[in-house]
Amino acid sequence: DSIKSRETGGSYLKTGFQLINRQTGGFGIRRGELVAINALQHNYKSGMTRAIFASVALTNIPQVKDNRKPLLLHVSFEDTLNDSLEYFYKFLYENETGKEADISLMSVDEISSYVIKRLTVNGWHIELRHVNPYIWTYRNLCDYIIQKETEGYEVHLCAVDYLLKLPTIGCDGQAGGEALRNLFERIKAFFQARNIAFITPHQISTDAKMMIREGRNNFVKELPGKGYYAGSKQLDQVF
């Protein structure tokens, strides 16, 4: 979907995937929303998060207030920065050329230069970052956003791979899953107040694997409303 998103006044971020746009009423991701990419392990959750992130940069022309700098952020608590750059390079190059990307002889600088050039073509500022999650809490993530705002940026989208990796230090709740639910609640409230779309992959719980083992035919249709989320069945209250 190559249509540039102007008609919604900057309140939506259209993705590059026609079916996702149809699924969201034709608009894409609404700024201020928390979006979870849910799937079983090894089912392209991180890849889909990155693909949506890249497509937002390619299919939207930024609209900002007060001459601020429009910013899209990708923070990985799992893969290294080089891993993320290699994914973005392959995704962008292969979709642009229709040819398989070969990065075996390319330097990190060459890969990084191509990725940034492509993702900034519509006027976005892009920041890709890897963080050890064990030295951060949700407060550090929020402080990072506030820091970017003080530097003159207007953050439109923050993709975090995976929010689940963050410790729940400072969150309310003692019983299993309560602190994790509160982590998501705090993040949702923070980004909603700043009108920033937040995307994170999240694994479906092992309980859902039983459906696969049992040979259920309508696996996806059986998930909604049943709390099949890793770490806390209460997360569906947040989503």
Side-chain angles (χ1 to χ4, degrees):
D1 192 337
S2 62
I3 299 173
K4 302 294 189 294
S5 178
R6 284 186 179 276
E7 68 278 5
T8 57
S11 55
Y12 287 87
L13 299 169
K14 187 162 286 190
T15 77
F17 299 90
Q18 294 181 7
L19 295 182
I20 292 179
N21 292 333
R22 291 180 199 170
Q23 184 183 32
T24 54
F27 297 112
I29 297 167
R30 182 185 299 170
R31 292 182 60 185
E33 283 189 333
L34 183 152
V35 178
I37 308 297
N38 302 121
L40 292 169
Q41 63 186 115
H42 310 306
N43 273 266
Y44 200 62
K45 296 183 297 299
S46 296
M48 195 68 214
T49 302
R50 291 180 185 136
I52 291 174
F53 177 89
S55 75
V56 164
L58 296 177
T59 58
N60 295 270
I61 297 174
Q63 301 179 51
V64 295
K65 298 177 181 179
D66 304 322
N67 295 318
R68 300 182 72 81
K69 297 175 286 185
L71 180 62
L72 304 176
L73 298 171
H74 185 280
V75 181
S76 175
F77 292 138
E78 187 170 58
D79 293 332
T80 66
L81 182 57
N82 284 353
D83 289 336
S84 295
L85 284 169
E86 288 179 7
Y87 172 89
F88 283 123
Y89 180 87
K90 291 177 180 178
F91 176 83
L92 293 165
Y93 178 85
E94 291 174 1
N95 276 281
E96 180 180 8
T97 66
K99 301 176 182 177
E100 184 176 356
D102 180 6
I103 61 172
S104 59
L105 299 178
M106 296 184 66
S107 68
V108 174
D109 287 342
E110 288 174 322
I111 293 172
S112 176
S113 177
Y114 176 84
V115 168
I116 297 302
K117 180 180 179 180
R118 292 290 292 120
L119 294 182
T120 58
V121 67
N122 284 330
W124 295 101
H125 292 258
I126 301 293
E127 185 160 328
L128 311 176
R129 183 173 181 180
H130 172 261
V131 176
N132 178 353
Y134 300 109
I135 62 173
W136 264 28
T137 68
Y138 80 92
R139 295 180 186 272
N140 296 100
L141 177 58
C142 295
D143 288 344
Y144 172 50
I145 299 299
I146 293 171
Q147 175 190 335
K148 303 314 295 184
E149 291 175 340
T150 60
E151 293 173 1
Y153 292 100
E154 180 182 316
V155 184
H156 290 235
L157 169 65
C158 178
V160 170
D161 183 26
Y162 287 65
L163 183 59
L164 177 66
K165 294 281 186 180
L166 274 185
T168 55
I169 297 169
C171 297
D172 300 327
Q174 298 298 324
E178 287 185 0
L180 182 63
R181 182 192 68 184
N182 189 243
L183 168 64
F184 275 80
E185 288 173 336
R186 289 172 182 266
I187 289 297
K188 179 178 180 179
F190 177 85
F191 283 88
Q192 186 177 60
R194 282 171 164 72
N195 198 32
I196 302 171
F198 184 90
I199 304 178
T200 188
H202 194 83
Q203 192 160 306
I204 293 173
S205 69
T206 54
D207 292 343
K209 287 185 178 180
M210 290 302 297
M211 296 184 193
I212 301 293
R213 296 191 186 103
E214 293 168 0
R216 303 282 187 91
N217 293 326
N218 296 314
F219 172 69
V220 174
K221 293 183 179 180
E222 294 195 40
L223 296 178
K226 296 180 181 177
Y228 288 120
Y229 297 108
S232 176
K233 292 182 179 180
Q234 302 174 22
L235 283 179
D236 62 348
Q237 299 172 16
V238 183
F239 298 145

